Amino acid sequence: MTWRSMLRPLRQRSDLYREKPLATAWTIEGVKEALAAKKISARELLADFYRRIEARNPELNAYLALTPERARRQAERIDALVAAGGPLPPLAGVPMAIKDVISTRGTKTTCGSKILENYIPPYDATAVERLEAAGAVLLGKTNCDEFAMGSSNENSAYGPVKNPLAPDRVPGGSSGGSAAVVAAGLAVASLGTDTGGSIRQPGSFCGIPAMMGSYGRVSRYGLIAFASSLDRIGPLASKVRDVASVLEVIAGRDPLDSTSTTAPVPDYGAELGKPLKRPRLGVPKEYFAEGMDANVRKKIEAGIALFRKLGCELVDIRMPHTDFAIATYYIIATAEASSNLARYDGVRYGLRVPDDSLLAMYRKTRGAGFGPEVKRRIVLGTYVLSAGYYDAYYLKGQKVRTLIAEDFRDAFSKADAILTPTSPVPPFQLGERTSDPLQMYLADIYTVTGSLAGVPGISVPCGKIDGQLPVGLQIFGPPFGEARILQLAHAFEQAGGAEV
Ligand code: GLN
């Protein structure tokens, strides 16, 4: 389908379709105020975003599909609410994008893979349902690494995404499309998923705040599984306040995901404005070792200095098992992936390459449907789970995972939050790392620790190298300490963190 044909239903309504996008950088508050003051209608805003998408997406390749009919129906509902003069729900009229590993009823959900090229889920993910119930207008589905495996979005079967800030560079991954659409103003906020860094790292590469809540904070129902003990859904937006607002809507117990927690969801927005009470921030030595780009280091040090200026106390801490995190992550994540991806067998749904023999049909379907990185991980994961190697790899990996979680527990007895770089390097060139999987895996060195430990983490913009390439500072909090790290990230943003 072409872009024009996807947007035809909207284009035909010339009353809703402006020729030039409005030149506004929208926030959630901004949208709500404009709607309430009747400066714009939800339908006009929607048409404006589709106009922007039409202009910019062919170059960025960040949206894989648009959902104009669904969006228009929702925008009409919001306009009716405005007309009735009642109170507006928290995300009223806010144009949002959804990573294509998150199920959307009636809309293709490909996971960036050929094997699900024509898969249309019969139900919505809980997070999607909650967004729409809160008034959000869903624009479409965003490109990502195949089954969320990657750090650059170059593993998508539908082509790479370009970084809107530097078009010769990657946007990060695997939620590259979700980060790029927000950074380019093609959505006000988006949902991504993070298994080992896939929300935080693209947020960092595209110069926007991006957050992974604690494991269990957001329901995974409808998220197509990569590694179930690590996968999390979370928000990306252009301001920390918007990240907080989206998290608040999607968080909370869901009976359809037994790992979602009953812990109450705080009013994150209200927490943001409270003054910092001289928090102690831990800076772990292990995150500043070799392999870190010198320019990134400079920006992170400037960011840490800004926190000191804000009245925070900085404490040196040790997290001695950090070195083992990449190996541990790539054992556990691949083991779980090999098991989760066994369901793509050409029988129940997704691609089928027919053959007279069942085994040959499996082989041909999986051979044609999965890309090289997904195959590599299935082979690795099958190996670490196989009889004879299980103890040496998978079981050992689980034990080290516990030690890494203990590092975090110890750290939080000395500090209220932990500061680290999000990525050791700035956004790299398209193609620069594709031939060396190990180099690609090393991009996750600072993010996978928090994933293994189950703690929340946020990446917040921390200056730009040469005024162009964004750097992200990561803040980890204790389990269910989302309010605390949002408050710190907000204070940092307000103090000019994006320009340090
Ligand atoms: N880049 C990491 C990987 O390739 C993390 C991916 C993710 O968080 N989904 O596994």
Side-chain angles (χ1 to χ4, degrees):
M1 219 188 333
T2 65
W3 291 100
R4 272 177 209 283
S5 69
M6 275 193 210
L7 292 173
R8 193 166 301 131
L10 218 76
R11 285 191 141 254
Q12 279 162 357
R13 305 183 49 146
S14 54
D15 55 322
L16 299 181
Y17 210 88
R18 294 164 194 264
E19 275 315 303
K20 285 219 168 70
L22 299 167
T24 314
W26 292 100
T27 60
I28 293 175
E29 259 327 287
V31 169
K32 275 180 72 179
E33 278 168 21
L35 288 178
K38 301 205 167 72
K39 288 195 185 129
I40 194 168
S41 71
R43 287 175 308 156
E44 285 170 330
L45 186 64
L46 170 64
D48 185 49
F49 271 84
Y50 277 141
R51 180 74 190 88
R52 297 168 186 228
I53 292 168
E54 197 178 14
R56 197 83 202 276
N57 195 64
E59 168 210 344
L60 296 177
N61 196 30
Y63 277 102
L64 291 177
L66 301 177
T67 49
E69 277 304 325
R70 182 172 178 158
R72 186 182 49 77
R73 281 196 303 273
Q74 174 79 342
E76 281 170 0
R77 247 175 258 140
I78 301 299
D79 286 337
L81 279 180
V82 174
L88 293 177
L91 302 178
V94 175
M96 285 192 64
I98 309 290
K99 184 179 180 180
D100 211 23
V101 294
I102 301 174
S103 300
T104 40
R105 184 181 173 162
T107 298
K108 271 203 286 188
T109 300
T110 68
C111 291
S113 180
K114 282 269 175 251
I115 212 155
L116 289 180
E117 192 169 13
N118 292 310
Y119 172 60
I120 299 181
Y123 60 92
D124 278 326
T126 297
V128 166
E129 209 174 85
R130 289 185 179 175
L131 288 180
E132 276 188 332
V137 176
L138 306 186
L139 300 171
K141 305 296 294 285
T142 52
N143 202 347
C144 56
D145 285 299
E146 185 175 4
F147 286 101
M149 298 175 187
S151 309
S152 67
N153 214 124
E154 292 165 300
N155 295 337
S156 168
Y158 305 101
V161 174
K162 289 186 180 155
N163 188 321
L165 280 67
D168 57 333
R169 312 242 165 192
V170 303
S174 63
S175 313
S178 290
V181 296
V182 171
L186 309 185
V188 172
S190 64
L191 291 187
T193 64
D194 196 312
T195 304
S198 278
I199 290 176
R200 293 160 287 159
Q201 186 254 21
S204 142
F205 277 18
C206 291
I208 57 170
M211 179 161 188
M212 156 186 92
S214 308
Y215 186 79
R217 183 70 295 184
V218 177
S219 167
R220 285 181 295 116
Y221 181 72
L223 161 58
I224 297 180
F226 159 15
S228 310
S229 78
L230 296 157
D231 293 343
R232 306 184 214 172
I233 294 178
L236 301 96
S238 60
K239 291 281 175 260
V240 174
R241 180 171 291 284
D242 288 355
V243 167
S245 304
V246 175
L247 182 68
E248 196 174 320
V249 164
I250 60 175
R253 173 70 184 164
D254 173 17
L256 298 173
D257 172 7
S258 61
T259 64
S260 69
T261 174
T262 51
V265 181
D267 180 344
Y268 294 125
E271 297 290 323
L272 291 189
K274 295 189 181 161
L276 295 178
K277 290 190 205 131
R278 201 169 162 70
R280 285 167 311 162
L281 304 181
V283 181
K285 196 168 149 217
E286 292 79 3
Y287 285 72
F288 293 82
E290 60 175 306
M292 185 175 177
D293 179 275
N295 289 316
V296 171
R297 179 189 294 271
K298 261 189 242 152
K299 291 293 171 195
I300 298 296
E301 283 169 356
I304 292 174
L306 181 57
F307 270 116
R308 188 177 289 118
K309 236 173 86 188
L310 286 168
C312 303
E313 184 188 336
L314 293 157
V315 288
D316 289 327
I317 57 169
R318 299 297 308 267
M319 302 185 77
H321 299 96
T322 304
D323 260 3
F324 306 115
I326 286 280
T328 305
Y329 171 81
Y330 278 95
I331 288 171
I332 293 173
T334 57
E336 293 185 21
S338 73
S339 157
N340 273 324
L341 272 56
R343 73 190 60 166
Y344 305 105
D345 55 8
V347 176
R348 285 161 291 186
Y349 48 79
L351 179 77
R352 175 184 299 173
V353 181
D355 194 284
D356 292 341
S357 122
L358 182 64
L359 265 183
M361 186 279 282
Y362 286 159
R363 207 176 295 127
K364 286 186 180 167
T365 298
R366 289 168 68 84
F370 290 135
E373 182 59 28
V374 173
K375 287 179 185 160
R376 182 178 299 120
R377 298 208 187 187
I378 292 173
V379 171
L380 265 172
T382 306
Y383 178 78
V384 301
L385 287 174
S386 60
Y389 293 103
Y390 181 94
D391 286 3
Y393 292 107
Y394 184 69
L395 193 64
K396 184 62 111 347
Q398 293 290 14
K399 290 178 179 169
V400 181
R401 181 177 190 174
T402 302
L403 294 174
I404 290 168
E406 278 170 8
D407 277 0
F408 276 88
R409 210 167 311 134
D410 285 351
F412 289 124
S413 68
K414 301 181 184 83
D416 299 307
I418 299 169
L419 302 183
T420 81
T422 305
S423 161
V425 291
F428 41 90
Q429 303 270 351
L430 283 151
E432 192 181 317
R433 292 185 173 211
T434 38
S435 59
D436 184 349
L438 191 61
Q439 273 307 308
M440 196 65 97
Y441 295 175
L442 286 172
D444 310 325
I445 193 155
Y446 302 139
T447 47
V448 292
T449 49
S451 303
L452 289 163
V455 300
I458 186 168
S459 177
V460 64
C462 181
K464 288 196 180 117
I465 296 169
D466 299 330
Q468 198 212 359
L469 296 179
V471 172
L473 181 133
Q474 178 173 237
I475 313 173
F476 282 127
F480 304 103
E482 284 84 6
R484 187 183 299 171
I485 60 175
L486 279 163
Q487 191 196 18
L488 285 165
H490 177 69
F492 184 76
E493 178 187 80
Q494 294 294 303
E499 276 88 48
V500 293

mmCIF file of all heavy atoms in Angstrom, residues 111-116 145-147 149 154-157 341 351 365-379:
data_model
loop_
_atom_site.group_PDB
_atom_site.id
_atom_site.type_symbol
_atom_site.label_atom_id
_atom_site.label_comp_id
_atom_site.label_asym_id
_atom_site.label_seq_id
_atom_site.Cartn_x
_atom_site.Cartn_y
_atom_site.Cartn_z
ATOM 1 N N CYS A 111 6.034 -7.217 13.813
ATOM 2 C CA CYS A 111 7.271 -7.393 14.581
ATOM 3 C C CYS A 111 8.508 -7.136 13.723
ATOM 4 O O CYS A 111 9.589 -7.661 14.008
ATOM 5 C CB CYS A 111 7.350 -8.798 15.185
ATOM 6 S SG CYS A 111 6.145 -9.062 16.474
ATOM 7 N N GLY A 112 8.349 -6.356 12.668
ATOM 8 C CA GLY A 112 9.502 -6.083 11.794
ATOM 9 C C GLY A 112 10.001 -7.336 11.092
ATOM 10 O O GLY A 112 11.144 -7.391 10.641
ATOM 11 N N SER A 113 9.132 -8.359 10.982
ATOM 12 C CA SER A 113 9.547 -9.660 10.454
ATOM 13 C C SER A 113 8.716 -10.061 9.246
ATOM 14 O O SER A 113 7.521 -9.756 9.171
ATOM 15 C CB SER A 113 9.376 -10.726 11.535
ATOM 16 O OG SER A 113 9.777 -11.995 11.057
ATOM 17 N N LYS A 114 9.348 -10.783 8.330
ATOM 18 C CA LYS A 114 8.612 -11.348 7.185
ATOM 19 C C LYS A 114 7.631 -12.422 7.654
ATOM 20 O O LYS A 114 6.604 -12.649 7.037
ATOM 21 C CB LYS A 114 9.598 -12.005 6.203
ATOM 22 C CG LYS A 114 10.327 -11.021 5.337
ATOM 23 C CD LYS A 114 9.561 -10.785 4.036
ATOM 24 C CE LYS A 114 10.213 -9.703 3.205
ATOM 25 N NZ LYS A 114 9.452 -8.472 3.152
ATOM 26 N N ILE A 115 7.980 -13.095 8.751
ATOM 27 C CA ILE A 115 7.152 -14.233 9.153
ATOM 28 C C ILE A 115 5.764 -13.779 9.612
ATOM 29 O O ILE A 115 4.812 -14.549 9.559
ATOM 30 C CB ILE A 115 7.881 -15.105 10.213
ATOM 31 C CG1 ILE A 115 7.477 -16.579 10.039
ATOM 32 C CG2 ILE A 115 7.613 -14.652 11.640
ATOM 33 C CD1 ILE A 115 8.481 -17.576 10.557
ATOM 34 N N LEU A 116 5.645 -12.527 10.020
ATOM 35 C CA LEU A 116 4.338 -11.990 10.424
ATOM 36 C C LEU A 116 3.865 -10.892 9.462
ATOM 37 O O LEU A 116 3.073 -10.025 9.845
ATOM 38 C CB LEU A 116 4.401 -11.458 11.860
ATOM 39 C CG LEU A 116 4.528 -12.523 12.961
ATOM 40 C CD1 LEU A 116 4.587 -11.881 14.342
ATOM 41 C CD2 LEU A 116 3.372 -13.522 12.908
ATOM 42 N N ASP A 145 13.544 -3.296 15.029
ATOM 43 C CA ASP A 145 14.330 -4.480 14.713
ATOM 44 C C ASP A 145 13.429 -5.704 14.795
ATOM 45 O O ASP A 145 12.515 -5.758 15.631
ATOM 46 C CB ASP A 145 15.483 -4.625 15.710
ATOM 47 C CG ASP A 145 16.604 -3.635 15.442
ATOM 48 O OD1 ASP A 145 17.185 -3.683 14.351
ATOM 49 O OD2 ASP A 145 16.889 -2.809 16.337
ATOM 50 N N GLU A 146 13.730 -6.693 13.974
ATOM 51 C CA GLU A 146 12.894 -7.899 13.902
ATOM 52 C C GLU A 146 12.760 -8.534 15.296
ATOM 53 O O GLU A 146 13.757 -8.845 15.944
ATOM 54 C CB GLU A 146 13.514 -8.893 12.913
ATOM 55 C CG GLU A 146 12.627 -10.111 12.700
ATOM 56 C CD GLU A 146 13.150 -11.065 11.623
ATOM 57 O OE1 GLU A 146 14.250 -10.842 11.067
ATOM 58 O OE2 GLU A 146 12.440 -12.055 11.350
ATOM 59 N N PHE A 147 11.525 -8.703 15.737
ATOM 60 C CA PHE A 147 11.217 -9.244 17.072
ATOM 61 C C PHE A 147 11.985 -8.508 18.176
ATOM 62 O O PHE A 147 12.328 -9.088 19.204
ATOM 63 C CB PHE A 147 11.461 -10.757 17.134
ATOM 64 C CG PHE A 147 10.402 -11.532 16.415
ATOM 65 C CD1 PHE A 147 10.626 -12.036 15.147
ATOM 66 C CD2 PHE A 147 9.155 -11.712 16.997
ATOM 67 C CE1 PHE A 147 9.619 -12.719 14.458
ATOM 68 C CE2 PHE A 147 8.143 -12.391 16.320
ATOM 69 C CZ PHE A 147 8.384 -12.900 15.049
ATOM 70 N N MET A 149 14.977 -7.500 18.270
ATOM 71 C CA MET A 149 16.358 -7.944 18.482
ATOM 72 C C MET A 149 17.312 -7.053 17.703
ATOM 73 O O MET A 149 17.494 -7.220 16.490
ATOM 74 C CB MET A 149 16.514 -9.394 18.013
ATOM 75 C CG MET A 149 15.636 -10.347 18.800
ATOM 76 S SD MET A 149 15.740 -12.003 18.136
ATOM 77 C CE MET A 149 14.471 -12.815 19.099
ATOM 78 N N GLU A 154 18.460 -1.751 12.211
ATOM 79 C CA GLU A 154 18.878 -2.262 10.897
ATOM 80 C C GLU A 154 18.481 -3.727 10.696
ATOM 81 O O GLU A 154 18.657 -4.271 9.611
ATOM 82 C CB GLU A 154 20.395 -2.095 10.729
ATOM 83 C CG GLU A 154 20.790 -0.632 10.617
ATOM 84 C CD GLU A 154 22.282 -0.427 10.821
ATOM 85 O OE1 GLU A 154 22.793 -0.781 11.910
ATOM 86 O OE2 GLU A 154 22.931 0.076 9.900
ATOM 87 N N ASN A 155 17.945 -4.372 11.750
ATOM 88 C CA ASN A 155 17.496 -5.762 11.599
ATOM 89 C C ASN A 155 16.027 -5.864 11.206
ATOM 90 O O ASN A 155 15.454 -6.942 11.282
ATOM 91 C CB ASN A 155 17.699 -6.543 12.904
ATOM 92 C CG ASN A 155 19.160 -6.693 13.267
ATOM 93 O OD1 ASN A 155 20.019 -6.617 12.395
ATOM 94 N ND2 ASN A 155 19.450 -6.893 14.539
ATOM 95 N N SER A 156 15.390 -4.770 10.827
ATOM 96 C CA SER A 156 13.999 -4.847 10.388
ATOM 97 C C SER A 156 13.925 -5.450 8.992
ATOM 98 O O SER A 156 14.741 -5.105 8.127
ATOM 99 C CB SER A 156 13.379 -3.453 10.369
ATOM 100 O OG SER A 156 12.141 -3.482 9.683
ATOM 101 N N ALA A 157 12.932 -6.302 8.762
ATOM 102 C CA ALA A 157 12.727 -6.839 7.404
ATOM 103 C C ALA A 157 12.201 -5.753 6.472
ATOM 104 O O ALA A 157 12.140 -5.957 5.262
ATOM 105 C CB ALA A 157 11.755 -8.008 7.450
ATOM 106 N N LEU A 341 9.890 -18.159 20.140
ATOM 107 C CA LEU A 341 9.743 -18.093 18.691
ATOM 108 C C LEU A 341 9.456 -19.459 18.059
ATOM 109 O O LEU A 341 9.254 -19.560 16.850
ATOM 110 C CB LEU A 341 10.969 -17.418 18.038
ATOM 111 C CG LEU A 341 10.851 -15.881 17.948
ATOM 112 C CD1 LEU A 341 10.616 -15.220 19.279
ATOM 113 C CD2 LEU A 341 12.055 -15.278 17.254
ATOM 114 N N LEU A 351 3.466 -16.601 8.155
ATOM 115 C CA LEU A 351 3.901 -17.137 6.865
ATOM 116 C C LEU A 351 3.878 -18.671 6.852
ATOM 117 O O LEU A 351 4.167 -19.308 7.860
ATOM 118 C CB LEU A 351 5.343 -16.653 6.632
ATOM 119 C CG LEU A 351 6.032 -17.114 5.360
ATOM 120 C CD1 LEU A 351 5.533 -16.332 4.167
ATOM 121 C CD2 LEU A 351 7.551 -16.940 5.496
ATOM 122 N N THR A 365 9.553 -22.623 6.032
ATOM 123 C CA THR A 365 8.841 -21.455 6.568
ATOM 124 C C THR A 365 9.771 -20.640 7.461
ATOM 125 O O THR A 365 9.913 -19.422 7.292
ATOM 126 C CB THR A 365 7.605 -21.907 7.383
ATOM 127 O OG1 THR A 365 6.722 -22.602 6.512
ATOM 128 C CG2 THR A 365 6.897 -20.725 8.005
ATOM 129 N N ARG A 366 10.421 -21.314 8.379
ATOM 130 C CA ARG A 366 11.294 -20.596 9.314
ATOM 131 C C ARG A 366 12.540 -20.070 8.607
ATOM 132 O O ARG A 366 13.050 -18.985 8.937
ATOM 133 C CB ARG A 366 11.646 -21.493 10.512
ATOM 134 C CG ARG A 366 10.424 -21.699 11.414
ATOM 135 C CD ARG A 366 10.607 -22.779 12.448
ATOM 136 N NE ARG A 366 11.582 -22.473 13.489
ATOM 137 C CZ ARG A 366 11.335 -21.767 14.594
ATOM 138 N NH1 ARG A 366 10.148 -21.259 14.793
ATOM 139 N NH2 ARG A 366 12.280 -21.569 15.496
ATOM 140 N N GLY A 367 13.003 -20.815 7.621
ATOM 141 C CA GLY A 367 14.173 -20.377 6.845
ATOM 142 C C GLY A 367 13.874 -19.104 6.072
ATOM 143 O O GLY A 367 14.691 -18.184 6.021
ATOM 144 N N ALA A 368 12.669 -19.038 5.493
ATOM 145 C CA ALA A 368 12.325 -17.865 4.676
ATOM 146 C C ALA A 368 11.807 -16.716 5.539
ATOM 147 O O ALA A 368 11.963 -15.544 5.194
ATOM 148 C CB ALA A 368 11.259 -18.250 3.648
ATOM 149 N N GLY A 369 11.167 -17.038 6.678
ATOM 150 C CA GLY A 369 10.464 -16.012 7.442
ATOM 151 C C GLY A 369 11.333 -15.219 8.395
ATOM 152 O O GLY A 369 11.081 -14.037 8.648
ATOM 153 N N PHE A 370 12.361 -15.842 8.956
ATOM 154 C CA PHE A 370 13.217 -15.156 9.932
ATOM 155 C C PHE A 370 14.461 -14.566 9.262
ATOM 156 O O PHE A 370 15.048 -15.196 8.378
ATOM 157 C CB PHE A 370 13.692 -16.135 11.016
ATOM 158 C CG PHE A 370 12.627 -16.607 11.967
ATOM 159 C CD1 PHE A 370 12.536 -17.949 12.314
ATOM 160 C CD2 PHE A 370 11.732 -15.709 12.550
ATOM 161 C CE1 PHE A 370 11.572 -18.399 13.214
ATOM 162 C CE2 PHE A 370 10.762 -16.161 13.455
ATOM 163 C CZ PHE A 370 10.680 -17.499 13.781
ATOM 164 N N GLY A 371 14.883 -13.426 9.747
ATOM 165 C CA GLY A 371 16.118 -12.803 9.264
ATOM 166 C C GLY A 371 17.330 -13.368 9.996
ATOM 167 O O GLY A 371 17.182 -14.133 10.964
ATOM 168 N N PRO A 372 18.543 -12.990 9.558
ATOM 169 C CA PRO A 372 19.771 -13.602 10.091
ATOM 170 C C PRO A 372 19.984 -13.407 11.597
ATOM 171 O O PRO A 372 20.423 -14.332 12.275
ATOM 172 C CB PRO A 372 20.894 -12.926 9.301
ATOM 173 C CG PRO A 372 20.267 -11.861 8.490
ATOM 174 C CD PRO A 372 18.792 -12.081 8.456
ATOM 175 N N GLU A 373 19.638 -12.241 12.147
ATOM 176 C CA GLU A 373 19.876 -12.027 13.579
ATOM 177 C C GLU A 373 18.933 -12.895 14.415
ATOM 178 O O GLU A 373 19.341 -13.465 15.431
ATOM 179 C CB GLU A 373 19.697 -10.542 13.940
ATOM 180 C CG GLU A 373 19.962 -10.204 15.403
ATOM 181 C CD GLU A 373 21.372 -10.553 15.880
ATOM 182 O OE1 GLU A 373 22.303 -10.554 15.048
ATOM 183 O OE2 GLU A 373 21.533 -10.851 17.087
ATOM 184 N N VAL A 374 17.697 -13.008 13.985
ATOM 185 C CA VAL A 374 16.730 -13.836 14.717
ATOM 186 C C VAL A 374 17.184 -15.294 14.677
ATOM 187 O O VAL A 374 17.164 -15.998 15.697
ATOM 188 C CB VAL A 374 15.310 -13.647 14.140
ATOM 189 C CG1 VAL A 374 14.331 -14.628 14.767
ATOM 190 C CG2 VAL A 374 14.850 -12.212 14.372
ATOM 191 N N LYS A 375 17.651 -15.740 13.508
ATOM 192 C CA LYS A 375 18.138 -17.128 13.411
ATOM 193 C C LYS A 375 19.341 -17.341 14.327
ATOM 194 O O LYS A 375 19.439 -18.355 15.014
ATOM 195 C CB LYS A 375 18.534 -17.444 11.970
ATOM 196 C CG LYS A 375 17.347 -17.610 11.050
ATOM 197 C CD LYS A 375 17.809 -17.885 9.636
ATOM 198 C CE LYS A 375 16.621 -17.922 8.706
ATOM 199 N NZ LYS A 375 16.996 -17.712 7.315
ATOM 200 N N ARG A 376 20.243 -16.372 14.343
ATOM 201 C CA ARG A 376 21.430 -16.493 15.204
ATOM 202 C C ARG A 376 20.995 -16.684 16.659
ATOM 203 O O ARG A 376 21.531 -17.520 17.379
ATOM 204 C CB ARG A 376 22.280 -15.240 15.051
ATOM 205 C CG ARG A 376 23.570 -15.270 15.864
ATOM 206 C CD ARG A 376 24.414 -14.015 15.651
ATOM 207 N NE ARG A 376 24.803 -13.872 14.270
ATOM 208 C CZ ARG A 376 24.487 -12.842 13.479
ATOM 209 N NH1 ARG A 376 23.798 -11.830 13.945
ATOM 210 N NH2 ARG A 376 24.876 -12.808 12.224
ATOM 211 N N ARG A 377 20.000 -15.920 17.070
ATOM 212 C CA ARG A 377 19.581 -15.994 18.474
ATOM 213 C C ARG A 377 18.839 -17.296 18.778
ATOM 214 O O ARG A 377 18.959 -17.828 19.870
ATOM 215 C CB ARG A 377 18.715 -14.787 18.805
ATOM 216 C CG ARG A 377 19.528 -13.528 18.626
ATOM 217 C CD ARG A 377 19.063 -12.442 19.480
ATOM 218 N NE ARG A 377 19.767 -11.216 19.137
ATOM 219 C CZ ARG A 377 19.655 -10.114 19.821
ATOM 220 N NH1 ARG A 377 18.891 -10.063 20.879
ATOM 221 N NH2 ARG A 377 20.325 -9.040 19.450
ATOM 222 N N ILE A 378 18.066 -17.780 17.832
ATOM 223 C CA ILE A 378 17.377 -19.054 18.061
ATOM 224 C C ILE A 378 18.420 -20.169 18.212
ATOM 225 O O ILE A 378 18.315 -21.017 19.101
ATOM 226 C CB ILE A 378 16.385 -19.355 16.912
ATOM 227 C CG1 ILE A 378 15.229 -18.347 16.945
ATOM 228 C CG2 ILE A 378 15.851 -20.789 17.015
ATOM 229 C CD1 ILE A 378 14.275 -18.431 15.762
ATOM 230 N N VAL A 379 19.449 -20.128 17.384
ATOM 231 C CA VAL A 379 20.486 -21.165 17.460
ATOM 232 C C VAL A 379 21.244 -21.045 18.791
ATOM 233 O O VAL A 379 21.431 -22.034 19.509
ATOM 234 C CB VAL A 379 21.450 -21.040 16.256
ATOM 235 C CG1 VAL A 379 22.659 -21.954 16.425
ATOM 236 C CG2 VAL A 379 20.725 -21.382 14.961
#
